[in-house]
Amino acid sequence: MDVQIVLPIVLGISVVALIVAAVLAREVLSAPTGNADMQRISDAIRQGAEAFLSRQYRTIAVLSVLAAAAIFGFYAWNAEVPNIKQMGAGTAWKVTISFLVGALCSAIAGYIGMFVAVRANLRTAQAATMSLNRALQIALRGGAVSGLSVVSMSLLGVGGLFYLFGGMQDYQHVPLQIVGFGFGASFVALFAQLGGGIYTKAADVGADLVGKVEAGIPEDDPRNPAVIADLVGDNVGDCAGRGADLFESTAAENVGAMILGIALFPVFGLGGILFPLLARAFGLIATIVGVYMVSCREDEDPMNGLNRGYLVTTILAMCGFVAAVKLLLASPGTIEVHNGYLIMAGFVGILTAYAFVWITQYYTEYKYRPVREIAEASKTGPATNIISGFAVGLECTGPPILVISTALLAAYWFGRLALPTMDPMSAGLYGTAIATMGMLAPCAYILAMDTFGPITDNAGGIIEMSKQPEEIRHKTDRLDAVGNTTKALTKGYAIGSAALAAFLLFSAYLDEIHKITGSHMGVDITKMPVFVGGLLGATLVFVFSALAIKAVGQAAQVVIQEVRRQFKEKPGIMQGTDQPDYAACVDIVTRGALKQMIAPGLLAVLTPVAVGFAFKYLGAAMGFGNQSGAEAVAALLMVGTIAGILLATVLNNGGGAWDNAKKYIESGAFTVDGKVVGKKSEAHKAAVVGDTVGDPFKDTAGPSLHVLIKLLSTITLVLAPLFIL
Amino acid sequence: MDVQIVLPIVLGISVVALIVAAVLAREVLSAPTGNADMQRISDAIRQGAEAFLSRQYRTIAVLSVLAAAAIFGFYAWNAEVPNIKQMGAGTAWKVTISFLVGALCSAIAGYIGMFVAVRANLRTAQAATMSLNRALQIALRGGAVSGLSVVSMSLLGVGGLFYLFGGMQDYQHVPLQIVGFGFGASFVALFAQLGGGIYTKAADVGADLVGKVEAGIPEDDPRNPAVIADLVGDNVGDCAGRGADLFESTAAENVGAMILGIALFPVFGLGGILFPLLARAFGLIATIVGVYMVSCREDEDPMNGLNRGYLVTTILAMCGFVAAVKLLLASPGTIEVHNGYLIMAGFVGILTAYAFVWITQYYTEYKYRPVREIAEASKTGPATNIISGFAVGLECTGPPILVISTALLAAYWFGRLALPTMDPMSAGLYGTAIATMGMLAPCAYILAMDTFGPITDNAGGIIEMSKQPEEIRHKTDRLDAVGNTTKALTKGYAIGSAALAAFLLFSAYLDEIHKITGSHMGVDITKMPVFVGGLLGATLVFVFSALAIKAVGQAAQVVIQEVRRQFKEKPGIMQGTDQPDYAACVDIVTRGALKQMIAPGLLAVLTPVAVGFAFKYLGAAMGFGNQSGAEAVAALLMVGTIAGILLATVLNNGGGAWDNAKKYIESGAFTVDGKVVGKKSEAHKAAVVGDTVGDPFKDTAGPSLHVLIKLLSTITLVLAPLFIL
């Protein structure tokens, strides 16, 4: 295959995917919008979400411009330092532009996803009054708008910058210059996920504590002034936040794999560098087919329909992967290449994705032992419920890590078998890169399933608040339950890909240092700066989580006070004679969440920078050589990633398990001494406590940790040359 | 100073300290024992504790013999392998004997401490009926029996084995052979702390859930059949468990520092190897003086008395430290040594101990912001209490890690300044070893304060159960509050010393590998086996904690069923007309705890062994060289230690903060809208939930993690030669 046409093909497929996204959006938007009651509620959600996003983006824009200025300043100031100089002409502005484009694309991707999601909720609700299948399709297609645009924007951004910066000629330097794209994406993602995550849980916890606990009104009751803020939260946290999260994943991993491709240039030429983009583009086509295949019978579990679509997507993605390997990773004849082993490495990645999805289900669904144990523990009150849930969270780190360890070793092994005459280290690393590409092939479909969650959640809320008949509620409840499952699966998938990608990005970082200094960098943890760097990296993860969790509590306090004020000043609200001021609540959570996202965000960004610069000089003064800064940051990144994967798993799965233990008790299947124990029982009250504790864990701190892990990678990739004396 | 007399001096001081311990024990035992009611309760506690210990020791003895056989087998089987052969003649049986002696000493130290503690509780209770000062002195002196015997037994064991194995001549090999002593001590400590920790919290949680929640009777009510088991638990968890924990700390760190001393043999000769023992022996003298200095006025906070004693101990220990440096670390003239900098490094350690004690107080006492925030959060129910407490736990990892990082760097720096012409790496490492010795100098006093905790706690229980008048209860309450503080401080100190010692033991491990293979081993985390080893090490910490926490829940279930059975079969118990069967409860918790300690214990022991042997062959097959097993285990140890320090801090301080948030509300100083909110309020109920959640965190999983960290070090030290192909 002529390598010159790869980039046009990738960009072409991306544009086609965007067009398909537009078609899907049109289809969703032209669906019927239900009665006036439903529209009023949906409008309020839409306005709240858009108001939050526009304010959030303004804050993030200011921070991004400051960060861009700092990056430009760092590079321009050091332009004459040999390390920087040899990165090629115009590095300072190229890195900075990449950063800004990455930030912008991330923001656009988040916006598009949410634009459709806050409209798809109403259409899904309306469709549910007619047909379950139609509702399922509208919700998934709404989600697919997000999934397709995220992945294609990332391909357009990386591929476009590579082309514009002249990567087809200067392939050695350009990937190092476009690392800024990944950093821009993670920078925006960090604040988007933090802000959205804080918003959604502050509104949720606040609404529940005043509504359910103090005023004694049910969840989603229209008399609760915070109820709209709660529904808005689902969109800004799950749609916009997770969209930005997965956008940066695809962006960072594309760039990382391209950098590793440079090392294999003698083997595959430009094809090795462009392979990640082509494999991902084929995955886009697979997703489009998969999404259009989804349907379900009226009496069927909608999850079956989604699973069929996932299976089709995965099979097609595997075929596309094989094709991409055959087309681009062929041997030029001079070096021995066993294509089959590279395909095996890719399949390792795809199997890992499956294993993670299965493990997450095991630990968070109430069909299985762990959640049932939590429900059992609820019998003796909230304390034992919490202890049991926390133990499940800690315990469930074991199986995923065994899977990841096996996957890393297997992929490494296949890489070496595929390239037997190559330097074994590079060959093995390329094997793990291929596995990561395999895992990420069906990414757009996974993202569509993720956004499906808040759309169906919102649809349920609209049906509930507009007081539709029982059988329609039943349909949206079923969709909502499926949405909860898909949200949990996506988090498992996000962690798995973060873990696999961490090694890829880390290797890219080392390769970058190698290119700059000409010598291979080891990260020897027996050296003091390296050990201290690792210690600080793990601590960053813990303190960051603390700040994220506390932020929810503080923002929730503001909501509680506002709702209390409204109940006090307008007693008619509770009697149903007066309208609550939804907008005031939305506004107050918005301000609270934006204020609270700053501290954890800055901590995450500044810690690696501070460690890098501190050890650049301190390490050298202590006799550890001129790469001490880079080595300390490498340890910070690696140990921080390990700690982050573990803590995020604890928080996500613990939270999910608590949530479903409550749902299990509510389901009516839970018995004590042969008698059914359900809602309003003491066990249920205890389970509600666990569910509330899990909320900020699984929807704020956990997902923010995914972003943090990748931010650490991209920030070190961008600043690596500056950490070397 | 003639180096030949150092060992006799060390052993002599140890024997003197043991005699002082016997004198203190005699003094405590000859104190009056109160009325018949008090004696009956105390007898029940004593019998329960001794029954538990004898059964636990039988189980541990079986496990120890199996482990010893395995160690002997490994070494004997590989006796002709060059790595093992060059460790010197008789290595197999010397390592095995060291292991068994270490295990035995640890068991004896734990037994002595508990023997006195379960008798001192009654004497303290009786003394409290007369004088606060006398009660304080009896409780502390009872604790000091434990502190002094732990440290002197560790010195006798290490010093004695060194002498018996001919270390004065064969100083190169003998420290490597007596690493078994440290492993034996940690092996017993692991099971002692796990079994004791599970026992204490299973009894506590079980007694509370049936007593307080179901039957509505107060804590420590004699009608509760589990109340004696609860009081027994304080002794077996805190006295025996923590005693074994700190015994292995001192043992492992002595051996580790001696191994590092070998590397400096050209500088200091044998003096450098024996320095750790002498510094520790001087610390013993300082402790004896400090303990005898403690007294307080009747109207004074007893904590002031303890603080004065601690200050005296610290100042004397510093003087002793200076003397030991001057005596043993003098330059032979050929190499430049700046003694002053070595002393500075020691002071870094002592300051670190202070900083840790202060930080722990800040995060766990209700004078300060964090605990007050948790109390505030309790107003809105148990969920917000838990969220807030967990956030405090995560947050409070930051300051200690910054202190440890600074201390490590500073000590390293002083080491290099002290030995400017040496190989900088060895000089720096010796600096950190000296700092660790400094931190551990006042160890016996800290341990005495720790055992003070359960003695006063028990004394309070005896006073409560024997229905003494209010003003006496008030005295024991004050002592009990001080005991809670000292227990929290000790945990902070234990973590700090574990963190500092981790680097010391790790360096000893590398030195050992160096001696065996002749080449310096790097632990380059960019290598796949090293990264995977690190990943597994951190995961081990999480899964181990999960098992420890779950074990408490499962053992507590057994208690709950037993208490329910007794209440049902003997309705007279609640009316006070029938006696509850305390012994049945004690017996059932004993069996439950011993059963539950096996799984986490074996996981901790077998994981490093499995990883070492797996990567020994797998790593080599993958082309990572013949040290892959040792490198993977090194990463497991280092990253596991980092994760362990962080998670233990979260669990200990989170648990302590929850406990004191409850106490703050009970104190009557907590107000809502200007009104005092105390016991029985909704906020208090919420705080009780947090307290219960924190119990297994701070008294089972957290302290077991301290042991785990050091077990990882000693197990790798013992098996290191076997992990190399």
Side-chain angles (χ1 to χ4, degrees):
Chain A
M1 184 179 186
D2 181 4
V3 78
Q4 296 298 325
I5 63 165
V6 174
L7 216 42
I9 291 177
V10 169
L11 299 178
I13 293 177
S14 305
V15 170
V16 169
L18 278 182
I19 293 170
V20 173
V23 171
L24 287 172
R26 224 183 112 94
E27 183 194 332
V28 170
L29 294 180
S30 64
T33 53
N35 64 31
D37 260 2
M38 289 161 68
Q39 285 175 20
R40 216 188 52 243
I41 298 157
S42 163
D43 281 352
I45 298 173
R46 190 172 46 72
Q47 283 161 14
E50 284 170 357
F52 173 76
L53 220 60
S54 76
R55 275 166 79 158
Q56 187 187 36
Y57 280 177
R58 250 177 288 158
T59 310
I60 294 179
V62 173
L63 292 168
S64 299
V65 168
L66 289 176
I71 293 170
F72 185 81
F74 280 144
Y75 270 93
W77 184 265
N78 293 289
E80 291 310 306
V81 173
N83 292 342
I84 310 293
K85 204 165 184 178
Q86 65 179 16
M87 283 183 70
T91 291
W93 65 262
K94 281 182 183 169
V95 172
T96 311
I97 287 181
S98 301
F99 175 85
L100 286 171
V101 174
L104 189 68
C105 285
S106 170
I108 294 175
Y111 184 77
I112 294 177
M114 221 198 53
F115 179 87
V116 177
V118 292
R119 288 165 174 85
N121 54 11
L122 176 63
R123 275 84 176 171
T124 302
Q126 165 59 22
T129 63
M130 323 290 283
S131 142
L132 182 67
N133 177 43
R134 193 65 201 132
L136 169 73
Q137 287 184 338
I138 289 188
L140 182 70
R141 289 176 187 185
V145 175
S146 180
L148 293 174
S149 21
V150 157
V151 177
S152 48
M153 300 257 312
S154 130
L155 286 176
L156 283 175
V158 174
L161 286 173
F162 185 79
Y163 184 79
L164 288 177
F165 288 174
M168 297 301 286
Q169 295 79 44
D170 188 15
Y171 66 89
Q172 283 272 18
H173 295 125
V174 171
L176 298 186
Q177 292 163 343
I178 59 177
V179 290
F181 185 80
F183 182 35
S186 3
F187 189 85
V188 170
L190 182 73
F191 288 99
Q193 180 67 64
L194 269 174
I198 295 169
Y199 186 107
T200 178
K201 288 304 125 177
D204 189 4
V205 172
D208 281 2
L209 284 176
V210 204
K212 276 203 267 189
V213 180
E214 287 186 18
I217 53 179
E219 208 172 321
D220 284 350
D221 189 298
R223 286 172 294 177
N224 191 331
V227 70
I228 293 292
D230 187 6
L231 291 168
V232 168
D234 292 332
N235 291 292
V236 300
D238 287 336
C239 299
R242 194 70 39 77
D245 175 359
L246 285 173
F247 178 79
E248 64 128 10
S249 291
T250 59
E253 286 144 18
N254 283 341
V255 177
M258 288 169 84
I259 292 176
L260 285 188
I262 305 177
L264 296 187
F265 189 79
V267 188
F268 302 124
L270 259 179
I273 299 175
L274 297 176
F275 170 78
L277 302 182
L278 190 64
R280 194 63 66 87
F282 287 165
L284 266 179
I285 299 176
T287 298
I288 293 172
V289 178
V291 166
Y292 272 108
M293 293 282 295
V294 170
S295 69
C296 75
R297 293 192 312 278
E298 290 305 306
D299 57 348
E300 198 188 3
D301 181 356
M303 193 67 212
N304 292 346
L306 292 180
N307 277 337
R308 281 193 296 269
Y310 184 38
L311 189 67
V312 169
T313 304
T314 304
I315 292 172
L316 288 179
M318 284 169 95
C319 298
F321 200 81
V322 172
V325 169
K326 294 268 176 203
L327 287 172
L328 290 184
L329 302 185
S331 165
T334 51
I335 295 171
E336 201 181 338
V337 177
H338 299 284
N339 254 336
Y341 288 119
L342 291 177
I343 291 170
M344 298 286 270
F347 287 2
V348 165
I350 295 173
L351 286 177
T352 305
Y354 258 108
F356 263 77
V357 164
W358 192 85
I359 293 169
T360 311
Q361 281 188 278
Y362 176 74
Y363 277 103
T364 56
E365 287 198 358
Y366 63 67
K367 273 187 279 186
Y368 305 102
R369 178 190 59 82
V371 172
R372 295 195 170 202
E373 273 180 17
I374 300 176
E376 279 296 312
S378 309
K379 286 185 207 165
T380 38
T384 39
N385 166 286
I386 300 289
I387 292 173
S388 174
F390 192 68
V392 165
L394 288 171
E395 183 195 324
C396 75
T397 54
I401 295 295
L402 288 180
V403 167
I404 275 293
S405 299
T406 312
L408 281 172
L409 291 170
Y412 199 94
W413 187 258
F414 284 129
R416 294 193 58 207
L417 291 176
L419 298 160
T421 57
M422 274 271 305
D423 149 43
M425 193 105 174
S426 302
L429 286 181
Y430 202 68
T432 62
I434 296 279
T436 311
M437 296 297 110
M439 183 154 189
L440 288 164
C443 168
Y445 190 88
I446 297 273
L447 188 57
M449 286 209 295
D450 188 47
T451 309
F452 174 89
I455 293 175
T456 52
D457 192 348
N458 266 230
I462 292 170
I463 291 292
E464 178 95 21
M465 288 179 66
S466 61
K467 304 202 167 62
Q468 300 287 324
E470 186 64 31
E471 81 252 27
I472 297 173
R473 279 199 209 186
H474 183 65
K475 274 186 203 162
T476 51
D477 278 355
R478 277 166 71 192
L479 286 173
D480 191 13
V482 171
N484 275 331
T485 305
T486 60
K487 275 196 279 184
L489 299 188
T490 324
K491 280 180 208 151
Y493 177 84
I495 286 276
S497 65
L500 211 50
F503 207 79
L504 163 72
L505 290 167
F506 183 60
S507 310
Y509 173 70
L510 295 176
D511 251 41
E512 186 183 1
I513 301 281
H514 176 72
K515 262 178 219 74
I516 291 166
T517 65
S519 66
H520 176 71
M521 182 175 91
V523 183
D524 185 348
I525 202 164
T526 67
K527 288 188 185 175
M528 183 66 74
V530 175
F531 179 69
V532 172
L535 202 50
L536 293 174
T539 310
L540 168 63
V541 164
F542 279 68
V543 175
F544 174 83
S545 304
L547 294 183
I549 292 171
K550 284 177 90 165
V552 172
Q554 270 151 11
Q557 286 302 325
V558 184
V559 181
I560 291 173
Q561 280 155 18
E562 169 63 20
V563 174
R564 282 189 190 145
R565 185 191 65 78
Q566 290 198 22
F567 278 155
K568 204 172 163 190
E569 291 179 7
K570 295 187 190 173
I573 294 177
M574 279 299 283
Q575 278 89 50
T577 56
D578 206 343
Q579 274 291 322
D581 184 354
Y582 299 129
C585 265
V586 168
D587 186 60
I588 217 158
V589 198
T590 300
R591 273 186 280 137
L594 294 183
K595 191 176 143 203
Q596 298 292 340
M597 78 181 182
I598 302 293
L602 288 185
L603 178 78
V605 173
L606 296 181
T607 305
V609 178
V611 168
F613 283 113
F615 279 104
K616 176 180 179 179
Y617 301 105
L618 190 62
M622 289 179 78
F624 290 105
N626 63 353
Q627 300 192 3
S628 292
E631 290 172 13
V633 169
L636 179 140
L637 163 59
M638 287 311 268
V639 182
T641 298
I642 291 175
I645 292 169
L646 289 169
L647 195 55
T649 305
V650 173
L651 297 172
N652 287 339
N653 289 0
W658 271 314
D659 189 346
N660 281 333
K662 185 192 75 170
K663 291 218 166 75
Y664 177 50
I665 294 176
E666 286 172 356
S667 76
F670 180 63
T671 55
V672 176
D673 299 332
K675 275 187 299 187
V676 170
V677 167
K679 270 195 177 182
K680 312 248 163 178
S681 66
E682 285 303 312
H684 183 251
K685 276 186 204 156
V688 168
V689 172
D691 180 36
T692 310
V693 169
D695 270 344
F697 288 13
K698 72 179 199 300
D699 290 320
T700 311
S704 298
L705 279 177
H706 307 171
V707 187
L708 174 71
I709 293 171
K710 279 168 281 181
L711 177 87
L712 289 179
S713 301
T714 55
I715 203 170
T716 47
L717 273 170
V718 167
L719 297 182
L722 303 168
F723 294 150
I724 298 168
L725 206 60
Chain B
M1 182 178 185
D2 180 4
V3 77
Q4 296 297 326
I5 63 165
V6 174
L7 216 42
I9 291 179
V10 168
L11 298 178
I13 293 177
S14 305
V15 171
V16 168
L18 277 183
I19 294 171
V20 173
V23 171
L24 287 172
R26 228 182 109 95
E27 183 193 331
V28 169
L29 293 179
S30 65
T33 54
N35 65 31
D37 260 3
M38 288 161 71
Q39 285 175 21
R40 217 188 51 243
I41 298 158
S42 164
D43 281 351
I45 297 173
R46 190 171 47 71
Q47 283 162 13
E50 285 171 356
F52 173 76
L53 220 60
S54 77
R55 276 167 79 159
Q56 188 188 36
Y57 280 177
R58 250 177 289 157
T59 309
I60 295 179
V62 172
L63 292 169
S64 300
V65 169
L66 289 177
I71 293 170
F72 185 80
F74 279 144
Y75 271 92
W77 185 264
N78 293 288
E80 292 309 306
V81 174
N83 293 342
I84 310 293
K85 205 167 185 177
Q86 67 180 15
M87 283 183 73
T91 291
W93 64 263
K94 282 182 182 168
V95 172
T96 311
I97 287 181
S98 303
F99 175 85
L100 287 170
V101 173
L104 189 68
C105 286
S106 169
I108 295 175
Y111 184 77
I112 294 178
M114 221 198 54
F115 180 87
V116 177
V118 293
R119 288 163 174 85
N121 54 12
L122 175 62
R123 278 80 177 173
T124 303
Q126 165 61 20
T129 64
M130 325 288 283
S131 144
L132 183 66
N133 177 41
R134 193 65 202 132
L136 169 72
Q137 287 183 337
I138 289 189
L140 182 69
R141 288 174 189 190
V145 175
S146 180
L148 293 174
S149 17
V150 157
V151 176
S152 48
M153 301 256 313
S154 129
L155 286 176
L156 284 175
V158 174
L161 286 173
F162 186 79
Y163 183 78
L164 288 176
F165 289 173
M168 296 303 284
Q169 294 79 44
D170 188 14
Y171 66 90
Q172 283 272 16
H173 295 125
V174 171
L176 298 187
Q177 291 163 343
I178 59 177
V179 290
F181 185 81
F183 181 36
S186 4
F187 189 84
V188 170
L190 182 72
F191 288 99
Q193 181 66 65
L194 269 174
I198 294 169
Y199 186 109
T200 180
K201 288 304 126 177
D204 189 2
V205 171
D208 281 3
L209 284 177
V210 204
K212 276 203 269 191
V213 180
E214 286 184 19
I217 54 180
E219 210 171 323
D220 284 348
D221 189 296
R223 286 174 294 178
N224 191 333
V227 71
I228 294 291
D230 187 7
L231 290 169
V232 168
D234 292 332
N235 291 293
V236 299
D238 287 335
C239 298
R242 194 71 38 78
D245 176 0
L246 285 173
F247 178 79
E248 63 126 13
S249 292
T250 59
E253 285 144 20
N254 283 342
V255 178
M258 288 170 83
I259 291 177
L260 285 188
I262 306 176
L264 295 188
F265 189 79
V267 188
F268 302 124
L270 259 180
I273 299 175
L274 296 176
F275 170 78
L277 302 182
L278 191 64
R280 195 64 65 87
F282 287 164
L284 266 179
I285 300 176
T287 297
I288 293 172
V289 179
V291 166
Y292 273 106
M293 294 281 295
V294 170
S295 71
C296 74
R297 293 191 312 277
E298 291 303 307
D299 57 348
E300 196 187 3
D301 181 357
M303 192 69 213
N304 292 346
L306 291 180
N307 277 336
R308 282 193 295 269
Y310 184 39
L311 189 66
V312 169
T313 305
T314 303
I315 291 171
L316 288 179
M318 284 169 95
C319 298
F321 200 84
V322 172
V325 169
K326 294 268 177 207
L327 288 172
L328 290 184
L329 302 186
S331 166
T334 51
I335 294 170
E336 199 180 341
V337 177
H338 299 283
N339 254 336
Y341 288 119
L342 290 177
I343 292 170
M344 298 286 272
F347 287 1
V348 165
I350 295 173
L351 286 177
T352 305
Y354 259 108
F356 263 77
V357 164
W358 192 85
I359 293 169
T360 311
Q361 283 188 277
Y362 177 73
Y363 277 103
T364 58
E365 287 198 357
Y366 62 67
K367 277 189 277 189
Y368 305 101
R369 178 191 58 81
V371 172
R372 295 196 169 201
E373 273 180 16
I374 299 176
E376 280 296 312
S378 309
K379 287 186 209 167
T380 36
T384 40
N385 167 286
I386 300 289
I387 292 173
S388 173
F390 192 69
V392 165
L394 288 171
E395 183 195 326
C396 75
T397 55
I401 295 295
L402 288 179
V403 168
I404 274 293
S405 300
T406 312
L408 281 172
L409 291 170
Y412 199 95
W413 187 258
F414 284 127
R416 294 194 57 206
L417 291 176
L419 299 159
T421 57
M422 276 271 305
D423 149 41
M425 193 104 174
S426 301
L429 285 182
Y430 203 68
T432 62
I434 297 279
T436 311
M437 297 297 111
M439 181 153 190
L440 287 165
C443 167
Y445 190 89
I446 297 272
L447 187 56
M449 288 210 294
D450 187 47
T451 309
F452 175 89
I455 294 175
T456 52
D457 192 349
N458 266 233
I462 293 170
I463 292 291
E464 177 95 20
M465 286 180 67
S466 61
K467 304 204 167 61
Q468 300 287 326
E470 185 64 31
E471 81 254 27
I472 298 174
R473 278 198 212 186
H474 183 63
K475 276 187 203 160
T476 49
D477 278 356
R478 276 166 72 191
L479 286 174
D480 191 15
V482 170
N484 275 331
T485 305
T486 61
K487 275 196 281 183
L489 299 188
T490 322
K491 279 181 211 150
Y493 177 83
I495 286 277
S497 66
L500 212 49
F503 206 77
L504 163 71
L505 290 169
F506 182 61
S507 311
Y509 173 70
L510 295 176
D511 250 40
E512 187 183 0
I513 301 280
H514 177 72
K515 263 179 219 74
I516 291 166
T517 64
S519 66
H520 176 72
M521 183 176 92
V523 184
D524 184 349
I525 202 166
T526 66
K527 287 187 185 175
M528 182 65 74
V530 175
F531 179 69
V532 171
L535 201 51
L536 292 173
T539 310
L540 168 62
V541 163
F542 279 67
V543 175
F544 174 84
S545 305
L547 294 184
I549 293 172
K550 284 177 89 163
V552 172
Q554 269 151 12
Q557 285 302 324
V558 183
V559 181
I560 292 174
Q561 279 155 20
E562 169 63 18
V563 175
R564 280 191 191 146
R565 185 190 65 79
Q566 291 198 23
F567 278 158
K568 205 172 162 189
E569 293 178 5
K570 295 187 190 174
I573 295 177
M574 280 300 284
Q575 276 89 51
T577 56
D578 205 343
Q579 274 290 322
D581 184 354
Y582 298 131
C585 266
V586 168
D587 186 61
I588 217 157
V589 199
T590 300
R591 272 186 282 137
L594 293 183
K595 192 177 143 201
Q596 298 292 340
M597 78 182 181
I598 302 293
L602 289 185
L603 178 79
V605 174
L606 296 181
T607 304
V609 179
V611 168
F613 283 114
F615 279 105
K616 176 179 178 179
Y617 302 104
L618 190 63
M622 288 178 79
F624 290 106
N626 63 353
Q627 299 193 3
S628 293
E631 291 172 13
V633 170
L636 180 140
L637 163 59
M638 289 309 271
V639 181
T641 299
I642 292 175
I645 293 168
L646 290 169
L647 195 56
T649 305
V650 172
L651 297 172
N652 287 339
N653 290 0
W658 270 314
D659 190 347
N660 281 332
K662 184 193 75 170
K663 292 216 166 74
Y664 177 50
I665 294 176
E666 288 171 356
S667 76
F670 180 64
T671 55
V672 176
D673 300 332
K675 275 188 298 187
V676 170
V677 167
K679 271 194 175 182
K680 312 248 163 177
S681 65
E682 285 303 313
H684 183 250
K685 276 185 204 156
V688 168
V689 172
D691 181 35
T692 310
V693 169
D695 270 344
F697 287 13
K698 74 180 196 301
D699 290 320
T700 311
S704 299
L705 279 177
H706 306 171
V707 187
L708 174 70
I709 293 170
K710 278 167 283 182
L711 177 87
L712 290 179
S713 301
T714 56
I715 202 169
T716 47
L717 272 172
V718 167
L719 297 182
L722 303 168
F723 294 151
I724 297 168
L725 205 61

